[in-house]
Amino acid sequence: MTIQPPSPTGPRPRKQSGLSIFWEFLTKPHPTVKELGARRQAQFAAGIALVLALLLLVGLVSRLFTHAGRLDAGSYPLFGLLVIVSIGYIFVRTRNHRAGMSILVWGFGTAGFLVIGAGTTDPGSALLIGLLPAYILASILLPLWELVTLLVASMVVVASFDIPGVTPTVLGALLGNLVTTGILLVTGV
């Protein structure tokens, strides 16, 4: 067995598949974002926003096909969230990537309230479905102070307003879940 001498031109460049090149094109942050951590965070946020936008678009199209070409009340929260996620994606790709990440997270936080406004599901479940992913995304993408602001603001809104269909017992359990999740995420940051 013979050992090959090193190549005089140096190491061979790594080949990328067409799919990875296309994905990088869709998620690559703005060139002015120089710091490696910020670039990775912006690229991660762009990827999440892109996947969510595609899934929401598929959800809207499937609702159109299953409801005889009409948008019903359950489609409006999907459409609202699609607009918010798309705006967040656009901002994440600019030099204002932090604003885009905030739009994504706060948009997810409002998703539960959009579903309650449409009146299509249980309000307690709608809030958990909207707020818990927002908390998790905030713990990954946003600074600690903005995560704490999101936690406090969402809990104040939930506790302050009379949400139809939510009894005091359900409200207490909901706030308990939100507080517990918030504490875990803040201490984990």
Side-chain angles (χ1 to χ4, degrees), residues 25-95:
F25 170 74
L26 291 175
T27 60
K28 190 173 183 181
H30 195 270
T32 59
V33 181
K34 298 287 185 198
E35 183 189 338
L36 181 63
R39 288 186 66 76
R40 286 186 177 172
Q41 212 172 25
Q43 192 165 14
F44 176 71
I48 286 182
L50 188 62
V51 168
L52 285 173
L54 290 174
L55 290 174
L56 288 166
L57 191 61
V58 167
L60 274 173
V61 169
S62 70
R63 284 192 80 87
L64 278 173
F65 283 123
T66 58
H67 290 87
R70 294 181 317 112
L71 289 177
D72 62 340
S75 302
Y76 299 129
L78 284 176
F79 183 74
L81 194 54
L82 176 63
V83 169
I84 291 169
V85 167
S86 299
I87 291 170
Y89 171 75
I90 290 168
F91 271 96
V92 165
R93 300 284 317 278
T94 66
R95 70 179 70 140

Side-chain angles (χ1 to χ4, degrees), residues 4-182:
Q4 297 284 337
S7 171
T9 59
R12 294 173 54 196
R14 198 175 83 184
K15 283 189 162 187
Q16 285 187 311
S17 70
L19 184 61
S20 66
I21 292 170
F22 183 63
W23 181 256
E24 186 174 336
F25 170 74
L26 291 175
T27 60
K28 190 173 183 181
H30 195 270
T32 59
V33 181
K34 298 287 185 198
E35 183 189 338
L36 181 63
R39 288 186 66 76
R40 286 186 177 172
Q41 212 172 25
Q43 192 165 14
F44 176 71
I48 286 182
L50 188 62
V51 168
L52 285 173
L54 290 174
L55 290 174
L56 288 166
L57 191 61
V58 167
L60 274 173
V61 169
S62 70
R63 284 192 80 87
L64 278 173
F65 283 123
T66 58
H67 290 87
R70 294 181 317 112
L71 289 177
D72 62 340
S75 302
Y76 299 129
L78 284 176
F79 183 74
L81 194 54
L82 176 63
V83 169
I84 291 169
V85 167
S86 299
I87 291 170
Y89 171 75
I90 290 168
F91 271 96
V92 165
R93 300 284 317 278
T94 66
R95 70 179 70 140
N96 300 321
H97 64 281
R98 293 246 183 246
M101 289 187 250
S102 295
I103 290 170
L104 273 175
V105 169
W106 286 88
F108 247 95
T110 62
F113 297 103
L114 289 173
V115 171
I116 289 174
T120 57
T121 188
D122 170 49
S125 300
L127 287 175
L128 285 177
I129 289 169
L131 288 174
L132 293 181
Y135 290 174
I136 293 168
L137 274 178
S139 71
I140 295 169
L141 299 175
L142 300 180
L144 181 61
W145 68 268
E146 200 166 351
L147 169 62
V148 171
T149 304
L150 174 70
L151 293 169
V152 171
S154 62
M155 288 179 215
V156 166
V157 167
V158 168
S160 299
F161 291 104
D162 183 29
I163 301 170
V166 176
T167 64
T169 306
V170 172
L171 182 65
L174 177 64
L175 285 172
N177 287 333
L178 295 177
V179 168
T180 304
T181 304

